[in-house]
Amino acid sequence: MTLWFGLALMTAAAILAVLWPLARRASLSRSGGDVAIYRDQLDEIERDRAAGLIEDNEAASAQVEVSRRLIAAADAQPAPPSDVPSASWRRRAVAIVALVLLPLGATGLYLALGSPLLPDQPLAPRLAAARGDQSVDTLIAQV
């Protein structure tokens, strides 16, 4: 019974590890302050170029990079609150269905295809049967 409890516990841990991202709330990776920071960086690059601290080609490449980040931050603004509950509900429903169906499906597949009632089969007798009887007397008789 302890073996089955341990196996069930490991199965639950594996399912939890796989389904954890589905059950979490969507985290906001960027806040609204990121857009302001990137705009300040663009202004700072322009000031440094005007002061002669960086060359024109370096300023242009830095502006392209910061502009790319600014666009990504603007696109990553939080979605309207009306979409969040439905997406969260769907993720949780998928997690619950998977949490129930995965172990039941695995158990059903094992019971259908496996042989849980067969006795143990140690390796040594199986290897001996596969090689046949290769004692010294048998080998001498064959020669």
Side-chain angles (χ1 to χ4, degrees):
M1 189 63 174
T2 304
L3 173 68
W4 290 108
F5 180 71
L7 292 175
L9 189 62
M10 287 190 295
T11 301
I15 290 172
L16 181 66
V18 171
L19 296 178
W20 182 261
L22 290 175
R24 291 187 313 177
R25 291 181 182 254
S27 62
L28 299 175
S29 61
R30 305 226 182 247
S31 64
D34 289 344
V35 173
I37 290 172
Y38 292 135
R39 287 187 179 151
D40 288 342
Q41 285 180 352
L42 286 173
D43 293 339
E44 183 179 352
I45 291 170
E46 187 59 36
R47 282 192 308 267
D48 288 348
R49 189 192 59 76
L53 297 175
I54 59 175
E55 295 180 17
D56 289 339
N57 59 353
E58 290 177 6
S61 63
Q63 284 175 337
V64 167
E65 178 64 23
V66 173
S67 297
R68 184 187 61 78
R69 291 181 186 173
L70 176 64
I71 291 170
D75 289 343
Q77 292 295 323
S82 62
D83 292 343
V84 174
S86 65
S88 175
W89 179 83
R90 276 186 251 143
R91 281 196 315 267
R92 289 180 194 267
V94 167
I96 289 171
V97 167
L99 184 65
V100 171
L101 290 183
L102 282 176
L104 289 178
T107 303
L109 190 63
Y110 174 70
L111 292 175
L113 299 177
S115 300
L117 301 177
L118 286 179
D120 291 341
Q121 297 178 359
L123 180 62
R126 287 186 288 141
L127 287 177
R131 285 185 294 205
D133 186 20
Q134 294 191 2
S135 65
V136 175
D137 295 332
T138 307
L139 292 176
I140 291 174
Q142 286 179 353
V143 172

